[in-house]
Amino acid sequence: QVQLVESGGGLVQAGGSLRLSCAASGSIFSINAMGWYRQAPGNQRELVATITSGGRTNYADSVKGRFTISRDNAKKTVYLQMTSLKPEDTTVYYCAGDLNTRRYWGQGTQVTVSS
């Protein structure tokens, strides 16, 4: 019954911005690290950004300076603010959360950046 639901994906032109949201729901008694990953067809899922319960962040080199991860514990939500988007950012983005005693994944949201 625990779920992570992403929203905010869409189509933007190169140089544009998008804000992804991921809300946790269900019987949640603890939320530790949360993060965003992305995966193109045929490729391995790769880390985009993570944020610990204490607010420490980590980013892939390819998105440093362009993406910002944040969280709102009261809303049980993690965000990914994406700016200066590039066509190579195009893929499906997945929310991940260490909730209770295990890892949960969202269903994914498509981000497409046109050139």
Side-chain angles (χ1 to χ4, degrees):
Q1 66 196 85
V2 174
Q3 290 185 308
L4 293 174
V5 180
E6 302 104 329
S7 62
L11 172 65
V12 297
Q13 291 186 314
S17 300
L18 282 174
R19 187 195 192 206
L20 306 183
S21 298
C22 174
S25 63
S27 300
I28 301 169
F29 55 83
S30 69
I31 303 177
N32 294 313
M34 300 189 75
W36 291 92
Y37 293 74
R38 61 189 182 186
Q39 184 175 25
N43 291 343
Q44 182 177 331
R45 188 167 297 185
E46 64 175 344
L47 170 72
V48 176
T50 60
I51 183 167
T52 68
S53 60
R56 180 174 176 82
T57 58
N58 183 45
Y59 298 92
D61 288 341
S62 60
V63 306
K64 286 182 179 177
R66 300 189 298 121
F67 292 8
T68 301
I69 188 171
S70 61
R71 63 193 288 166
D72 185 331
N73 291 331
K75 295 181 178 180
K76 299 179 181 178
T77 301
V78 63
Y79 306 93
L80 185 67
Q81 179 66 50
M82 305 184 293
T83 62
S84 301
L85 283 162
K86 305 174 181 179
E88 48 263 48
D89 295 320
T90 296
T91 191
V92 178
Y93 285 71
Y94 295 89
C95 174
D98 294 335
L99 311 177
N100 298 345
T101 60
R102 59 162 289 187
R103 168 66 59 85
Y104 289 87
W105 292 91
Q107 80 286 355
T109 185
Q110 176 70 44
V111 171
T112 302
V113 184
S114 64
S115 59

